[in-house]
Every structure is written in structure tokens, then in C-alpha cells.
């Protein structure tokens, strides 16, 4: 799913999955990767919500 067509709810689901994957990862590098992905998704959600509230 392209991020352009994703809803904030879709991104929140993906973010939750990334956080779960980070929690379950055994390798430090994999944990860092998923935590970073979750952080980026969180930022995207905040920006999408800000854009919709500003409109």
C-alpha cells in the first residue's frame, strides 16, 4: 500500500506491528530497525492528522 493512499488508521496498525516486531526481535540491529520504522510511522501519522486539522 502506497503511503499516499494510507489512512492514519492504516499507519497506526502498521506502526503497532513494527513495535511488536521490535519487541519480539532477538538481534539488536533488527530491534533498532523496527523501532526506527515505528518512529517514522508515528511521525507520518502526526503529520497526516495535523494536515487534516489544518484543512
Amino acid at each position: 500500500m502506497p503511503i499516499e493512499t494510507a489512512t492514519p488508521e492504516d499507519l497506526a496498525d502498521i506502526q503497532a506491528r513494527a513495535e511488536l516486531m521490535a519487541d519480539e526481535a532477538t538481534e539488536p540491529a533488527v530491534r533498532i530497525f523496527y523501532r526506527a520504522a515505528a518512529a517514522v510511522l508515528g511521525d507520518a501519522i502526526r503529520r497526516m492528522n495535523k494536515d487534516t486539522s489544518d484543512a
Side-chain angles (χ1 to χ4, degrees):
M1 154 188 347
I3 197 163
E4 294 84 11
T5 61
T7 65
E9 294 80 19
D10 293 334
L11 295 180
D13 290 342
I14 298 166
Q15 180 186 26
R17 184 165 182 199
E19 290 170 351
L20 179 63
M21 297 291 287
D23 291 341
E24 294 176 348
T26 58
E27 296 290 327
V30 175
R31 278 195 302 270
I32 292 168
F33 172 81
Y34 282 113
R35 293 269 183 240
V40 169
L41 288 164
D43 185 56
I45 293 166
R46 282 187 293 281
R47 288 173 187 239
M48 288 179 85
N49 288 335
K50 182 177 185 265
D51 288 347
T52 56
S53 68
D54 288 346

